[in-house]
Amino acid sequence: MKWHSGLLIVVLLVLGALAITPALAQNGAVWNAQFYNNPFLNDPVVLNRQDNRILFNWGSGSPGAGVNADNFSARWGTDVYLQAGTYRFWALADDNVRVTLNFSNTLIDTFAHPAVGQLVSADVTLNAGNHHIQVDYREAGGDAYVNIDWANLSLGETGPDFQGGGQPPLPIPGTGQWVGQYYANPNLSGNPTAIMTEASPSHNWGAGAPLSGMPGDNFSVRWTSSQALTGGTYRITVRADDGVRVFVNGALVINQWHGATGETYTADVNLPSGTHTFVVEYYEAGGDAFIDYNLAQIGGGLPPTTVPPVVTGTWLATYYNNRDLSGTPVAILTEASPSHNWGGGAPLAGINADNFSVRWASTQNLSAGNYRVTVRADDGVRVYVNGALVINHWVLATGQTYTADFSLPAGNHTFVVEYFEAGGNAFIEYNLTLVGAGDGLQPPAQTGVTASVTAFRLNFRDQPTTAANIIGKLNRGETFPVVGRTADGAWVQLNVRGTVGWSYASYLDVNGTGNIPLTSGSLTTPPPASTGFTLAANQAVNIRSRPGVSGSAIIGVLRTGQTAAVVGRSSTNTWYQINSNGAIGWVSSAFVQLQAGTNIGQIPVTG
């Protein structure tokens, strides 16, 4: 068995397809890069430059003149023309990377879900046209590298090709083989002691060490493999001493990360025909060390994952046996409409009657005009038009009706309807109507005024109120045309790549206001006043748009020791509303300390 010591963390998922010449997806792209001497993408920018590809391995050095070797961050942005098709984006980084498409669609985010040294991917279906790609990167310490690529799967392109980024040579397994990464610690951290190809994750090391140079206890291993399978239901069986986790196509299907003495765990997964990624993670605490892994097909095939091109009036429907559209779909088929009334029954054979979800997608060729989407659902529903979220009611419901109005030019437009059913009766009614051709919504004004985003992440809404739907996220430093304002100037109307919406003026640097037309007469409530109390961060804590993690956006970071004015609190005192240099947001009380002598009763409940 051949192994190499002292190798850096490199690609986890080395697919057999890498032997094929990959598409050079970034050819012709020009990335505008900004580097910051902090891990939060906070000003000032210490280095501006242009890059032709994001394929870097800086090791323990600096990425450029004036930039720290550790504790730095970077942001790249580019606009590229992409043909229509389903694209797969890949990212490999140490430490964290985030890939955002068209300003609001976060495809990959290892800031939120760390995956240091792991190849992560995401698929997205795009119309032909120009698309904006943003890459955010953060380096904490040690070695630093970041690699990004993408490919149009509809054209048979392959990728990624990260061998040119300065990483050490990798073992290239064939389909069915495994890449094993061995760590001299029980938590898969740091640089692996050895990286090699193996036939299987199954091993019985007894009381000995797995390799020369490795300890006999307190070690861990990660195995990754690309498996070409026929469609069907598969059972994964794993027996281990001690802990084990198994991921299929990025979804965690077995999670037994604890001490054990040879327990057996199973998970059943439905997989379409094609190539699938399996990751097995294992750690040994003490005593005997072994792992037995097996994958066996136990059921027949699934519907095909590709369908004939969707024509006007038909929809591609994807059904999942969970409420969050996650994992591998149970069924993929074409339907005439998202409208269904399943009552108390299941939507299809093999689908749960409760706790299921569906995503419908369709390309519609429409004449120019003002349109209204109406949906009625039990339970949750979301509607996207050309990638913009126009209806967002992902909550339990009993048949409520929701509408959204918008203006569209003549041509093809993409509609996506997402739905989940929790329990009881299940139905969804969908309707799209033309409500006016030339009346109602008017083209945005050309004011010559622009606004630059000053918040870390700024909500972009369909109306000038915090109760309105969030239709996108804007990033610090991005600049957009201003087309309107509210009567009190508290909200500014922006044209973001053809989508018109609203953002709070306090988080925008507006270049002049004299030529901005009044497009909403609403007067908004000013930001809450200070209470006279302050708090300090015990450690770096995210500033969020609302109290709570679910459904809230990160709009900034309060760094360790940094103080902010307290302007409100939640009713349970678990979240505090703060004013941090003009940014109003929420921080968890678990990570901050109120100033001595604070009277919580004098802090108003604001959320």
Side-chain angles (χ1 to χ4, degrees), residues 9 92-96 116-117 137-146 191:
I9 282 185
L92 170 70
D94 182 334
D95 289 291
N96 308 111
V116 174
Y137 170 76
R138 176 171 63 195
E139 161 63 8
D143 290 320
Y145 55 83
V146 57
N191 295 331

Side-chain angles (χ1 to χ4, degrees), residues 559-582:
R559 295 185 293 277
T560 303
Q562 187 176 356
T563 61
V566 179
V567 298
R569 62 183 172 93
S570 64
S571 59
T572 58
N573 298 326
T574 54
W575 290 83
Y576 293 118
Q577 192 179 27
I578 63 170
N579 185 331
S580 176
N581 297 321

Side-chain angles (χ1 to χ4, degrees), residues 469-503:
N469 293 322
I470 297 174
I471 59 176
K473 301 283 186 179
L474 311 182
N475 299 304
R476 173 178 288 162
E478 293 175 342
T479 301
F480 305 102
V482 175
V483 298
R485 62 180 176 87
T486 56
D488 59 0
W491 290 81
V492 173
Q493 193 176 33
L494 304 174
N495 185 342
V496 177
R497 299 180 64 82
T499 300
V500 175
W502 296 85
S503 289

Side-chain angles (χ1 to χ4, degrees), residues 13 23 88 261 358 361 374 381 417 518 525 582 599:
L13 307 181
R88 180 164 296 162
T261 55
V358 194
T374 304
V381 64
V417 178
L518 179 65
T525 303
N599 184 343

Side-chain angles (χ1 to χ4, degrees), residues 402-424:
Y402 317 107
T403 64
D405 294 345
F406 43 87
S407 182
L408 296 175
N412 288 328
H413 300 279
T414 301
F415 293 80
V416 176
V417 178
E418 296 178 339
Y419 165 84
F420 83 84
E421 159 64 6

Side-chain angles (χ1 to χ4, degrees), residues 412-491:
N412 288 328
H413 300 279
T414 301
F415 293 80
V416 176
V417 178
E418 296 178 339
Y419 165 84
F420 83 84
E421 159 64 6
N425 289 329
F427 65 85
I428 177 172
E429 297 172 1
Y430 169 89
N431 187 53
L432 174 68
T433 56
L434 177 65
V435 296
D439 56 348
L441 302 176
Q442 300 299 319
Q446 302 295 319
T447 65
V449 180
T450 60
S452 298
V453 180
T454 59
F456 181 66
R457 291 273 279 174
L458 179 60
N459 289 331
F460 183 53
R461 299 179 181 273
D462 62 358
Q463 296 294 329
T465 169
T466 55
N469 293 322
I470 297 174
I471 59 176
K473 301 283 186 179
L474 311 182
N475 299 304
R476 173 178 288 162
E478 293 175 342
T479 301
F480 305 102
V482 175
V483 298
R485 62 180 176 87
T486 56
D488 59 0
W491 290 81

